[in-house]
Amino acid sequence: MKVAIIGAGATGLAAAWTLAKNGHRVDIYETSKGELGGIAGAMPIGKTRIDKIYHHIFTSDTSILDLIDEVGLSSEMMWIEPKNGMHINGKLYPFTSPMDLILFPAVNLVSRFRMGLAVLRAKTVSDYKSMEDITAKEWLVKKAGQESYDKLWKTLLTSKFDKDADKVSGVWIWNKFKLRGSTRKNINSESLGYLRGGFYELYKKLSELVEEKNGRIVYKKATRISGEGGKIRIDTESGTQSYDKCLFTPSPASLAKLCALPPDYLKKVAKIKHKANVCLTLVAKKKISDYYWVTIAEEDSPFVVFIEHTNLVKDEKYEGKTIIYLSKYLDQSDPFFVATDREIKKAFLEHLPKLFPSFSEADVFETHIYRSLDAQPLVGLRYSEDVLPLETPVKNLYIASMCQIYPEDRGQNYAVDRGIAAAKRLMEE
Ligand SMILES: Cc1cc2nc3c(=O)[nH]c(=O)nc-3n(C[C@H](O)[C@H](O)[C@H](O)COP(=O)(O)OP(=O)(O)OC[C@H]3O[C@@H](n4cnc5c(N)ncnc54)[C@H](O)[C@@H]3O)c2cc1C
């Protein structure tokens, strides 16, 4: 079987490897010139690379861990206990363990107790369907109280979903509580995983393995996709190729721009919304905090997450440099998303010393900005009704995109899992 895969991200490469090792001929089309890994791609730093956008994985991420093992990279996995924090009401507090939550001074004692109970209660919910009709906000207010919602959870939801925070389904928050619980060794300690050299190393390895099996990475944008007599035709600026099957991995909205699809399917596509993300990476001379991940719950801050990557990952190839990511999720139509790099850098860097007074712009060697349009699907009420199936209305054209991951939330582990599952279905049908 000859298969076209659109997108050399985690989903596309996992699918391509599954098909290639089973004897199928695969061409992977990728828009970004020479880049692999999609959102989980990398950029060069010192004598190595780091992720363009911060990434870590959890001990419960078994699909990606199995794949890392299969391609011989297990020895490159690092497991580290993070130190996380929250910046709220002008102060930085530790926020790693349930104990930090219980001792968290920004809300009163009764609210803290109710918050702890809410987290525990979420873990006992076994069927996500019971959380589909209630928003995360309603569920949190009911279980943890209005005070803790207003002072804490609202900020956490807003940090991911911006203006749409109130629309997020209870399933999303249930999932977060469950996931964080399953990645703890014991109640107070959690381990996060990072692949030495960035997760790019996995994607590079997969592409090499696909090429060894006569697959190709075609660094060209698919400009049109059409079905013709059961075959799938892929157009690029430099020609056309025909395939038995095609797996599309970017968002359904981008498929709708490339392919003629029936109106009822387009209506479903239009219902699926994503938030965008802007991420600024700083490569600096000195460390500025002891924390890995700090949620910024300050209303005037232009970024909502601060990640000091080098407080999690120690690698001599970074040559002693400090690597920091500042991130903001926002509406795809927000003017800040299309602001110039200079404007974004100015807004973020002017604010950083207000939160971390030891930071000085003079210590920054390099900055990089990465924009991601389809960064986080907006998981609303009864989202199960909106999830598109793998098959599209065009025969032999399939879609496996981030927004189809449900009830889990997006992440490399599920991208790999769904990529492999999609490849298996293509081989079966
Ligand atoms: C800010 C942020 C932080 C994250 N943090 C984590 C984390 O800590 N841990 C974790 O596991 N996950 C994290 N994720 C999620 C993770 O990055 C994604 O779930 C995963 O990388 C998605 O992979 P994908 O292959 O499905 O999609 P993508 O990575 O989006 O890949 C799609 C590919 O398709 C290509 N493409 C698009 N259109 C075309 C076309 N017409 N022709 C050819 N190619 C095309 C794109 O260039 C891209 O390479 C994070 C995501 C974001 C945005």
Side-chain angles (χ1 to χ4, degrees), residues 6-12 29-32 37-40 53-57 61 220-222 248-250 258 277 327 329 372 375 400-402 410-413 415:
I6 313 299
T11 311
Y29 288 84
E30 173 53 52
T31 305
S32 313
I39 298 176
I53 289 186
Y54 49 98
H55 280 88
H56 55 245
I57 57 171
D61 284 345
K220 289 195 175 114
K221 181 179 179 169
F248 189 85
T249 67
L258 304 179
N277 179 272
S327 158
Y329 286 91
S372 158
S401 176
M402 191 198 273
R410 58 124 225 227
Q412 295 175 93
N413 181 60

